[in-house]
Amino acid sequence: MASVWKLGDAERQRHDVSSVKICMHLGAPCPPWLKLAFIEWLGGKVIQEIYGATENLGGTFLMGDEWLEHKGSVGKFMT
């Protein structure tokens, strides 16, 4: 996500992203400013976040719209 954002507005606007249905980030925390930027660009229903343990003991899931309501949250526990 950071690499895409570094391209700049002009480069991002050159491309039609209307067919993007899911943009999921996982593996490392996403800076709040970057998550907000992607939510504003692609929409809160497109952005999804997952955190999980490598041992598959559980994880959390959060949609962009939910994050806007509870900034800083990593979502609800999934079993």
Side-chain angles (χ1 to χ4, degrees):
M1 290 171 77
S3 296
V4 169
W5 210 253
K6 287 179 185 176
L7 294 173
D9 287 338
E11 184 63 24
R12 283 190 307 277
Q13 291 173 7
R14 265 181 5 110
H15 302 280
D16 177 8
V17 294
S18 63
S19 64
V20 176
K21 302 297 181 209
I22 295 174
C23 177
M24 189 174 291
H25 67 87
L26 53 133
C30 182
W33 70 266
L34 184 57
K35 184 189 303 272
L36 181 58
F38 264 77
I39 290 170
E40 290 173 348
W41 182 38
L42 298 175
K45 301 220 180 306
V46 172
I47 305 302
Q48 300 179 7
E49 175 176 5
I50 293 180
Y51 284 110
T54 53
E55 296 82 11
N56 201 21
L57 298 172
T60 61
F61 178 80
L62 182 74
M63 298 287 295
D65 289 344
E66 295 172 307
W67 184 85
L68 288 172
E69 294 175 14
H70 305 283
K71 290 183 180 168
S73 175
V74 293
K76 297 175 186 143
F77 185 72
M78 304 181 307
T79 57

